[in-house]
């Protein structure tokens, strides 16, 4: 959720588009019917707080199964 830059009411995300693995355009529509502005934001990964743990396979079978189900990054996916 983001505030409308014109009226400051809440705006809802309608669709998004990845420009690269770490940069995304997100399209918003203002929820104020008297405004109804639409605008686009850009999201990017600014910094990595913690790198993923590399090389360690979890010993737990259930956790390994959950990791296998986790969605992989798709550059063209919308959210
Ligand atoms: Zn607005």
């Amino acid at each position: 959720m983001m505030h409308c830059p014109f009226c400051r009411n809440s705006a809802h995300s309608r669709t998004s588009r990845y420009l690269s693995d770490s940069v995304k355009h997100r399209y918003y529509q203002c929820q104020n019917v008297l405004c109804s502005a639409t605008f686009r934001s850009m999201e990017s990964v600014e910094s990595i707080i913690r790198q993923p743990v590399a090389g360690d396979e979890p010993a737990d079978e259930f956790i390994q199964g959950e990791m296998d189900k986790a969605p992989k990054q798709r550059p063209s996916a919308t959210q």
Side-chain angles (χ1 to χ4, degrees), residues 4-11 30-32 34-37 39:
C4 173
F6 302 99
C7 72
R8 306 288 182 215
N9 278 16
S10 66
C30 177
Q31 296 303 289
N32 175 3
L34 300 175
C35 173
S36 296
F39 56 97

Side-chain angles (χ1 to χ4, degrees), residues 31-49:
Q31 296 303 289
N32 175 3
V33 294
L34 300 175
C35 173
S36 296
T38 57
F39 56 97
R40 180 180 73 197
S41 69
M42 181 178 282
E43 298 177 17
S44 63
V45 176
E46 184 199 30
S47 62
I48 305 298
I49 308 302

Side-chain angles (χ1 to χ4, degrees), residues 10-44:
S10 66
H12 286 183
S13 172
R14 292 302 178 195
T15 190
S16 64
R17 179 170 68 100
Y18 277 96
L19 303 178
S20 72
D21 285 345
S22 61
V23 180
K24 180 196 273 188
H25 272 165
R26 187 180 295 275
Y27 294 82
Y28 288 92
Q29 184 171 38
C30 177
Q31 296 303 289
N32 175 3
V33 294
L34 300 175
C35 173
S36 296
T38 57
F39 56 97
R40 180 180 73 197
S41 69
M42 181 178 282
E43 298 177 17
S44 63

